[in-house]
Amino acid sequence: MSQKAPPCNHLFPKEEIEQSIPDRFEKQVLKHQARLAISTPAGSLTYEELDSCSNRIANAMLACDAHRTEPVALLFEQDSPLIAAILGVLKTGNIYVPLDTNYSKAQHEHILADSGASLILTDAANFRKGVALADERLKVIEVGKELRSFSSGNPSRKIAPDTLAYIYYTSGSTGKPKGVVDDHRNILHNVMRYTNNLRITHDDRLTLLQSSGFSGAVSNIFGSLLNGAALFPIDLRRIGIGGLADCIRSEGITIYHSVPTIFQRLLTGGREFRSLRVIRLEGDRATLKDLELFQKHFDHDCLLVNGLGATETGITRQYFADARTIPPGAHLPVGFATEDMQALLLDEKGDEVSPGEVGEIAIRSRYLARGYWRQPKLTRARFVDNPDSSGERTYLSGDLGRFGPDGELVFLGRKDLRQKFNGEWLDTEKIELELDADDTIEHSLVEVRTSGRGTDQVVAYYVAVKGAVISTSGLRRKLVEAGFEELKIPTAFVRLKSIPLDANGKVSRQNLPEPRQALRPPYEPVRTETERRVAEAFGAVLGYARVGRLDDFYTLGGDSLDVVSVSLNLETSLSSTLPLALFAHATTVEKLARAIDTNVSARSLVALQPDGCQTPFFCVHAHMGHVINLRNLAMRLGSQRPFYALQLRGLDRQNQPPASMTEMARQYVSEIRTAQKVGPYMIGGYCYGGIVAVEMVRLLQQAGESVSILALIDTDCPVKSSTSAMRLSLGRIWQRVVYGKKIHWRNVLRNYGSHLVERTKTAALRFVWRHYVSRKQSMPRILRNPESLLKMIEMEYDPRPIQCNAVVLVATEDQAALPTEESWSNIIKGELEIRQIPVSASELLREPQVGLLAEILASRLDEQ
């Protein structure tokens, strides 16, 4: 497949641009009177009906003494009245100015004041808003039933091709919003390029996803209605991606156009769209991942078109790909020039750059926008006359690009978003491409962020593939192995649920959150042998060639998974055990080395966050015994809430582990009283720890102390008997039957056999464990494994009811059956609340999802 536009007959001859838009539209009305013009959920209009509706609007405007070439503001929902209003304004020879209904009042007021509009056209849904904006200074016409009294005849005004047609205001993301004004001839030339490149005919059906205030809507509106095709305005804010998918399939859409992010979401559901013949991506940068996604879901009959355009130029470059296309490099090009549109790459002096170099994209043509509304100085600065050719101008886009070996243009982003780090240009896109190539990363953005102290930091924001467990140190190592300089690799990795987008679906970099991690301190060399070994372990696991004595494990990107790796590394290097709890408070190389040298004992009570004046929160470990995974939650609860975690005794392989639930709970109660002498206490437990917390509450109450709140974080209610366990298993099977999920009895038998073997092993282990407990002998190594030990303790434990207020915080995303108040009622006799958190259990304590847990938990703790 060629990367250039496929050759075709000129469906839209060039001589057709020497007229007005209404003239071209009237020709389509004569040819296709009964054909579908517009279809929305509210109804459909044929070409004849759309023409009549737009004529009534035009005649109503003329009755209000709407003079020629005056701006008229349009405030409409994404529906057919909007399109009729656009045509109506153009038929009177006036200039339409769209107001996106999603804009703020301040934005609307700015556009109205700057454009000088004297009339607002609106629909019933926005009439009140229009009247409020008009403030008795402007006329307001509601497009609706009352317009039926006006003639449906064509006003028949003679409109020259150079008459101004619209003012589209830019988003203002790179400065104050400015109005781009253009005439009928230039718009028709843009439609000609669009029509001929995509071979648009009256048989096509086009989407209109762009909001009314976004200039990307122009090519779809006029590309369809000036060719006899059908237009389908779709309001994504109302129907969502699922509704969009249903519309494409049910309406037989042939040409789809959106920014890449919406296209990516459209295909996540695995649906097929057999009617599509063209997928057009513009408005934001598309990548090779978008091409891969396209080639995975579409065959060779469909084309992917990646293009470059702007409000000031219309469509200037297009790259065509099909299922067999192999891109020419590491980027997806925006392609080759459209008719009469020449692209240049200029340096800071305005000279053309050498082949292969990066430069500012400049577009030279006779058919550029007329300029910026009422801003002649800015127009002269951005639209430069070409002295060698009368009528030609060069538009300086502010975008960066590079020409490939075959002349295809590669778009590299905004010039004013190009970033420096430590005085040098940082190729953030190259880092993004490397991260995006990872199977666990769905999308990434790399930014240079400056702290309040003026220190720069490279930050990577990423969205993970659903269910993926990601180690940021693993991402760092990947970048190191790919050859990136260590100092230019991100030091902070921020996991996002989704990339922030603006109203038009473009990536909104200004809405990216600030990283939570602190900045890395200046390098200081290690001083002792232990510091050297700790620094080497940090570097080996986290992907750094040089680590200083003041470097913090978490600032370097370490997480709970990396703690285990560093601990094993140091245990081998130092030939001694190293309790994981040390990493909760001794987080720098210097502090950890000092803790190792002074042989700090692993107490059960670990101060993850000891500061603050609020009542402390005490949280018990999960089934692995350690508490390092609770650190994110402790940090998220804030600097005023002391957070103490309780880890299993015996993890250091020196102290004897507990032999029963009561013994373990009694020891933990004793330890928390060293931090808080008297109640009321706030007790919690994560997973297995919730069961221990229940017993701690019982012991505290037995000693005359009060407990204000018991927080059970993703804790299963203890099942008392094998009969209950069997009933639970049968219930899950029955649920699968009810919801129509296939069950293979061979698998059932195989799973039951595995279950039987596992229960036999557990019974044997339990027999051995009881033997050692009854004789109060030191446990063998097999029983000192935290998971096995705690399982034995739980099997021997019979929980007794407690009178206490409690909250159960449960991860819901991957659970078939959720806990109910009834399931806990035999144990919790006080006020009980169950709060569901829409994340998976594996992500509950990981950033950024831990923020949801912390927010709910903090609100309950603050209530006490």
Side-chain angles (χ1 to χ4, degrees), residues 726-793:
M726 180 61 73
R727 188 180 297 120
L728 184 61
S729 299
L730 291 174
R732 286 172 179 163
I733 292 175
W734 175 246
Q735 185 184 44
R736 292 175 65 86
V737 172
V738 168
Y739 288 101
K741 297 181 180 179
K742 204 173 213 181
I743 296 177
H744 297 282
W745 292 108
R746 185 181 302 167
N747 290 340
V748 172
L749 292 173
R750 185 184 298 122
N751 291 336
Y752 179 74
S754 300
H755 178 67
L756 189 61
V757 170
E758 186 63 30
R759 289 193 64 174
T760 303
K761 287 181 179 178
T762 301
L765 198 62
R766 190 177 184 186
F767 177 80
V768 175
W769 182 78
R770 281 178 167 176
H771 171 81
Y772 281 93
V773 169
S774 63
R775 286 164 176 73
K776 297 183 180 181
Q777 295 178 347
S778 178
M779 297 286 180
R781 187 167 186 176
I782 190 173
L783 289 174
R784 292 177 72 95
N785 172 275
E787 197 166 7
S788 299
L789 172 68
L790 294 175
K791 186 175 183 179
M792 296 298 104
I793 290 175

Side-chain angles (χ1 to χ4, degrees), residues 792-850:
M792 296 298 104
I793 290 175
E794 182 185 6
M795 292 178 73
E796 295 292 318
Y797 177 59
D798 185 13
R800 281 172 279 178
I802 57 172
Q803 185 69 38
C804 178
N805 294 336
V807 59
V808 179
L809 304 163
V810 58
T812 62
E813 198 168 276
D814 50 9
Q815 290 202 10
L818 297 173
T820 63
E821 292 185 16
E822 184 180 358
S823 64
W824 278 97
S825 61
N826 290 333
I827 297 175
I828 308 295
K829 296 301 182 181
E831 185 179 314
L832 175 66
E833 179 186 10
I834 295 180
R835 296 292 298 272
Q836 299 179 8
I837 304 173
V839 300
S840 66
S842 62
E843 295 179 326
L844 187 62
L845 294 179
R846 297 177 66 85
E847 291 287 357
Q849 287 82 351
V850 69

Side-chain angles (χ1 to χ4, degrees), residues 146 195 222 253 268 286 357 399 569 727 733 765 814 861:
E146 64 273 14
T195 300
F222 297 125
I253 300 297
T268 54
E357 290 187 356
D399 293 325
N569 184 305
R727 188 180 297 120
I733 292 175
L765 198 62
D814 50 9
L861 297 180

Side-chain angles (χ1 to χ4, degrees), residues 175-252:
K176 193 175 182 180
K178 49 189 178 291
V180 179
V181 62
D182 213 345
D183 61 33
H184 289 247
R185 179 187 290 112
N186 290 336
I187 296 169
L188 288 171
H189 193 283
N190 185 36
V191 174
M192 177 199 76
R193 304 193 301 268
Y194 187 36
T195 300
N196 294 337
N197 276 8
L198 269 59
R199 304 178 185 177
I200 301 174
T201 71
H202 61 264
D203 291 323
D204 279 308
R205 301 163 81 84
L206 289 75
T207 60
L208 175 60
L209 301 180
Q210 292 77 11
S211 67
S212 60
F214 183 47
S215 64
V218 171
S219 58
N220 296 310
I221 294 172
F222 297 125
S224 56
L225 299 180
L226 301 187
N227 286 305
L231 180 68
F232 291 79
I234 298 169
D235 190 344
L236 275 177
R237 290 171 294 187
R238 290 187 175 182
I239 68 172
I241 294 296
L244 169 61
D246 293 339
C247 177
I248 292 173
R249 292 192 299 172
S250 63
E251 299 293 353

Side-chain angles (χ1 to χ4, degrees), residues 481-499:
E481 291 165 2
F484 288 92
E485 293 179 46
E486 182 183 320
L487 293 178
K488 294 182 179 180
I489 292 175
T491 55
F493 289 80
V494 180
R495 183 166 179 163
L496 303 174
K497 196 163 189 178
S498 61
I499 296 294

